[in-house]
Amino acid sequence: MGNLRVSSMLVLSLIVGSIIAAFANNFHQDVEITWGGRHAQILGRQGSLLTLTMDKTSRGAGFESTKDFLFGRFNMQMKLIAGNSAGTVTTFYLSSEGPSHDEIDLEFLGNKSGAPYTLHTNVFSHGQGGREEEFNLWFDPTKHFHAYSIVWNPQNIIILVDNIPIRVFSNQESIGVPYPNHQRMKVYASLWDADDWATRGGRVKTDWSKAPFTAYYRNFVASSAWEMQGLSARGRQLLTWVQKRYRIYNYCNDLKRKQRHGRPPECGHGPSEQQER
């Protein structure tokens, strides 16, 4: 697989479907700053760049999309906090509202300088989560912008990094696994202080002498119309490659969780990462 430099033709072949852009790349029109005040800034005449900053006075900032969606593809380019980012969490996710909410999470857990970033993913259905998977990224996400995507349709949730699939969560309601397919969701992003758990289980705290911490967002594209689709054969190859080399946690393989709560019914079923590897 080399260094996973994927051509534009391969990108097109990874996902079978068609896209109709609802809106793209104007943060002035597409999002609303929801918290953090001046620590969230939209820059550029066309609103093409958004920054979130965290210091001791704010403890973070966040925004949400102006529209909500039932299925689609959601892309964001991000550049994460450089240097010692321990204790910080930078996010890009979908969520509905209410106690029985649905949610699809990408959370980037900060680290001490020199350690790899951890990408924490989770899927909530009808208020039930506990489907975490974590990955080390195969590049430095602080030096350049990289693309992070969520594909959500009635059959699959697919999470991609630079158009390379890293996780698939399939609809297995037929065996009693809740799947988010009824509630509309908005796109959210945030930067916040989580030093009680984010880095090495909370053992490494935020070093406020390194503040302010800033994360950068651009090229937000939300697409509301997709055909039923999944991964191509090449996409499945890449998924296996990433999971074997860069996945560091899979809830299906958590023995302590199995002892406490039993084996999740989706583990060992279907073509997705829900199988144990």
Side-chain angles (χ1 to χ4, degrees), residues 145-165:
F145 281 92
H146 290 269
Y148 305 94
S149 305
I150 299 169
V151 173
W152 169 42
N153 63 56
Q155 291 181 330
N156 295 297
I157 293 165
I158 305 171
I159 296 174
L160 305 100
V161 175
D162 287 337
N163 285 304
I164 296 166

Side-chain angles (χ1 to χ4, degrees), residues 27-232:
F27 285 113
H28 288 301
Q29 298 176 4
D30 303 341
V31 307
E32 176 184 359
I33 305 299
T34 50
W35 64 285
R38 63 182 176 82
H39 293 85
Q41 302 226 357
I42 298 173
L43 305 173
R45 293 180 61 186
Q46 303 300 319
S48 58
L49 180 68
L50 193 154
T51 64
L52 298 179
T53 299
M54 184 178 83
D55 57 30
K56 268 195 166 182
T57 68
S58 73
R59 297 301 175 102
F63 63 90
E64 66 181 49
S65 63
T66 55
K67 297 183 180 181
D68 56 20
F69 302 87
L70 186 63
F71 308 127
R73 175 166 177 156
F74 310 91
N75 305 321
M76 186 78 78
Q77 289 186 350
M78 301 169 60
K79 186 164 69 169
L80 303 182
I81 301 163
N84 185 349
S85 59
T88 69
V89 176
T90 307
T91 72
F92 166 54
Y93 63 102
L94 305 178
S95 183
S96 61
E97 297 181 346
S100 297
H101 76 293
D102 296 334
E103 189 169 326
I104 305 168
D105 282 338
L106 279 73
E107 297 182 329
F108 300 85
L109 310 185
N111 60 352
K112 293 191 74 172
S113 301
Y117 255 89
T118 297
L119 171 53
H120 175 96
T121 69
N122 201 356
V123 176
F124 286 77
S125 304
H126 315 309
Q128 298 179 33
R131 297 180 175 90
E132 300 95 342
E133 300 228 352
E134 293 184 345
F135 303 82
N136 284 337
L137 297 173
W138 53 91
F139 52 84
D140 184 346
T142 72
K143 293 196 174 202
H144 305 286
F145 281 92
H146 290 269
Y148 305 94
S149 305
I150 299 169
V151 173
W152 169 42
N153 63 56
Q155 291 181 330
N156 295 297
I157 293 165
I158 305 171
I159 296 174
L160 305 100
V161 175
D162 287 337
N163 285 304
I164 296 166
I166 67 167
R167 178 172 187 182
V168 177
F169 185 86
S170 297
N171 185 339
Q172 298 190 68
E173 290 181 303
S174 61
I175 60 170
V177 180
Y179 185 84
N181 57 9
H182 298 297
Q183 300 187 72
R184 301 180 70 85
M185 294 198 271
K186 285 189 172 184
V187 180
Y188 294 84
S190 61
L191 168 62
W192 51 288
D193 176 28
D195 74 357
D196 57 333
W197 67 272
T199 306
R200 299 187 64 190
R203 293 189 297 276
V204 182
K205 301 298 184 181
T206 304
D207 182 353
W208 291 106
S209 71
K210 307 298 183 184
F213 305 100
T214 301
Y216 302 84
Y217 295 80
R218 73 179 187 188
N219 290 345
F220 170 40
V221 181
S223 315
S224 60
W226 275 74
E227 296 174 359
M228 304 287 285
Q229 49 76 42
L231 294 179
S232 68

Side-chain angles (χ1 to χ4, degrees), residues 255-272:
L255 295 179
K256 290 183 179 179
R257 178 175 289 189
K258 285 182 189 178
Q259 291 169 357
R260 291 194 304 266
H261 306 293
R263 181 183 179 88
E266 67 270 25
C267 295
H269 291 82
S272 74

